[in-house]
Amino acid sequence: MFGDPEQMAQAMRQFADMLSAPQGSGPVNWDMAKNIARHAVVAQGDPSVMEGERRQIVEALSLADLWLNEATTLPSGVSNPQAWSRSEWIENTIPVWRKLAEPIAERMVETMGGAIGGSGLPPEAQQMAGPLMGMLKQMGGMMVGQQIGQAIGSLAREVIGTTDIGLPLSGTAALLPGGVASFSSGLEHPADEIRLYLALREAAHHRLFQHVPWLRGHLLGAVEEYAKGITVDTSALEEQIRGLDINNPQALQEALSGGGLLKPEETERQKAALVRLETMLALVEGWVATVVDDAAAGKLPSAVALAETVRRRRATGGPAELTFGTLVGLELRPRRLREAAKLWQAVKEARGVDGRDALWSHPDLIPTADDLDDPEAFVRGETTWDISQLEEKPRDEGDQS
């Protein structure tokens, strides 16, 4: 009479998590979202990292970091390399997911509260139902939290390390043995070469984020700015909720999945925010690809083939891109990643490694979206910059360069 025991147990866990949410903790119960994510990976199998696996990952990250010394002027960003299980990845990245997803989650919870409880009620009835509306918003928060937890849990089964989406999900460089094994499946390359190549990418990302002080805040701020322009498709949400069985976790997940309810506003500010964010993410990925190619050249026979495998994975909309789109309503454009790599390569050929990496010293020196369209013009038109003048002279608020 109670249906599937596993579904009933899951529903009871979620209800207990909802009731345990502290007052003022925000629109989403993140403890519940984290628990759902961990249950999702445990259900598929999430063995602890064995000592041999841990040693292989740590050695690969340490060696990759040494190789990068020859390919970039930025110093090491790997101080405590680690190997994580999928559950450990969830635990260590939730704080950043919270910052990324909460602006969207807040809008969805507010809209869901109105759609569930306020639809069709006259104003006086809505006022009398105030306490009930508060509870309905809490239920909306539970539903959104479930969707976030499911999305992060799905991503945890696919990721390789902490930098798959191009944003710094953790300050610690780490690879997941399970993720490395999944990436390696079907590839005819030695396992140690694959592991080392993926370690190069992870270590290169951390060099950039550890030693470019403005970059982390700039990227996270750009995501937040973009998220402010996201609205929830109220009519689509009401259609999804109408007739929905809240006792069916699978139905709840399907109703909220895919990011289809999230709609960016078609305003100039929103378009500009999207261009800035996509451009910066492409520049980060392009720089990493260029540096890794240089570091692996002559040392890693399978580097070229593995680089192409990574590019194809990104171009076909891998799990990282799809999950990122679900959580914050943004889909990356792989075309810009390839253009950014060409630009960094052109800058290195014209000015050397020092000249290329010096561009990260100030945000005003970083190439723009227009520069990605014509990298040769960016290289030819460069002048000598005096960083001290940029720091001393107040920037005109209307200057967007």
Side-chain angles (χ1 to χ4, degrees):
M1 64 178 291
F2 294 107
D4 187 341
E6 177 59 31
Q7 285 192 348
M8 176 61 67
Q10 183 178 349
M12 293 299 294
R13 283 195 301 266
Q14 294 169 7
F15 187 67
D17 286 338
M18 181 188 73
L19 295 179
S20 67
Q23 293 295 322
S25 60
V28 176
N29 184 338
W30 283 94
D31 286 338
M32 183 194 74
K34 180 173 66 176
N35 289 339
I36 289 174
R38 295 191 66 165
H39 286 306
V41 298
V42 169
Q44 299 292 324
D46 182 31
S48 299
V49 178
M50 304 298 290
E51 177 58 27
E53 295 175 320
R54 187 199 68 79
R55 186 169 57 252
Q56 289 177 334
I57 294 295
V58 170
E59 290 176 353
L61 284 168
S62 298
L63 179 57
D65 203 40
L66 286 175
W67 284 10
L68 288 170
N69 288 335
E70 303 174 8
T72 175
T73 60
L74 296 180
S76 171
V78 178
S79 58
N80 183 26
Q82 296 185 16
W84 288 343
S85 67
R86 294 180 171 93
S87 294
E88 289 172 326
W89 181 90
I90 292 170
E91 187 75 31
N92 286 290
T93 61
I94 279 289
V96 177
W97 285 120
R98 179 169 185 165
K99 183 175 180 61
L100 290 172
E102 198 144 81
I104 298 296
E106 184 173 357
R107 282 165 176 73
M108 291 198 70
V109 169
E110 289 294 326
T111 305
M112 290 177 69
I116 294 173
S119 179
L121 291 179
E124 59 273 14
Q126 291 188 26
Q127 185 175 4
M128 293 177 60
L132 177 61
M133 293 294 293
M135 187 180 74
L136 291 173
K137 284 187 177 180
Q138 194 173 19
M139 289 178 61
M142 181 185 73
M143 294 169 69
V144 174
Q146 176 178 344
Q147 169 59 16
I148 291 174
Q150 291 284 355
I152 294 175
S154 297
L155 180 59
R157 293 197 294 268
E158 304 289 344
V159 294
I160 298 167
T162 69
T163 57
D164 291 60
I165 66 170
L167 288 167
L169 295 178
S170 171
T172 300
L175 292 179
L176 284 66
V180 174
S182 296
F183 178 88
S184 305
S185 179
L187 298 180
E188 297 180 356
H189 304 295
D192 57 341
E193 289 192 23
I194 297 175
R195 188 185 308 113
L196 184 52
Y197 183 82
L198 297 175
L200 281 166
R201 289 183 50 81
E202 178 79 3
H205 274 98
H206 279 273
R207 285 201 178 215
L208 194 58
F209 285 110
Q210 292 283 349
H211 298 290
V212 179
W214 55 268
L215 181 56
R216 177 186 174 91
H218 185 87
L219 267 174
L220 297 180
V223 173
E224 186 174 354
E225 176 68 19
Y226 177 80
K228 288 178 181 178
I230 292 290
T231 59
V232 180
D233 188 341
T234 307
S235 60
L237 180 58
E238 290 178 351
E239 183 66 28
Q240 294 277 30
I241 291 175
R242 191 175 295 118
L244 192 64
D245 180 6
I246 64 173
N247 294 312
N248 186 342
Q250 184 64 30
L252 294 177
Q253 178 185 350
E254 293 176 356
L256 297 173
S257 64
L261 301 178
L262 307 178
K263 298 176 64 177
E265 293 178 345
E266 293 298 325
T267 65
E268 291 305 314
R269 179 178 179 181
Q270 182 70 356
K271 292 176 183 177
L274 177 58
V275 169
R276 286 195 300 271
L277 180 55
E278 287 184 329
T279 300
M280 188 56 65
L281 287 170
L283 288 170
V284 167
E285 176 63 22
W287 182 89
V288 166
T290 302
V291 168
V292 168
D293 287 347
D294 291 347
K299 301 186 185 74
L300 209 57
S302 57
V304 174
L306 290 172
E308 184 58 33
T309 300
V310 170
R311 279 192 287 268
R312 286 200 306 268
R313 190 172 186 255
R314 298 296 297 269
T316 55
E321 287 78 9
L322 295 177
T323 304
F324 195 42
T326 298
L327 291 176
V328 300
L330 171 68
E331 294 182 4
L332 303 183
R333 293 187 295 173
R335 178 177 64 86
R336 308 302 285 179
L337 304 182
R338 189 178 292 272
E339 292 166 351
K342 291 180 179 178
L343 183 145
W344 288 121
Q345 184 63 31
V347 173
K348 190 195 81 166
E349 292 173 357
R351 297 174 220 158
V353 171
D354 289 355
R356 180 198 64 195
D357 293 349
L359 293 177
W360 291 107
S361 62
H362 196 283
D364 284 344
L365 302 180
I366 289 297
T368 65
D370 291 339
D371 295 324
L372 292 183
D373 294 327
D374 192 355
E376 294 299 330
F378 175 79
V379 173
R380 291 193 308 267
E382 180 66 10
T383 58
T384 302
W385 290 89
D386 187 342
I387 301 299
S388 64
Q389 291 182 4
L390 287 172
E391 294 174 345
E392 293 170 4
K393 180 181 177 181
R395 188 175 173 185
D396 190 321
E397 292 182 357
D399 182 11
Q400 299 298 319
S401 60

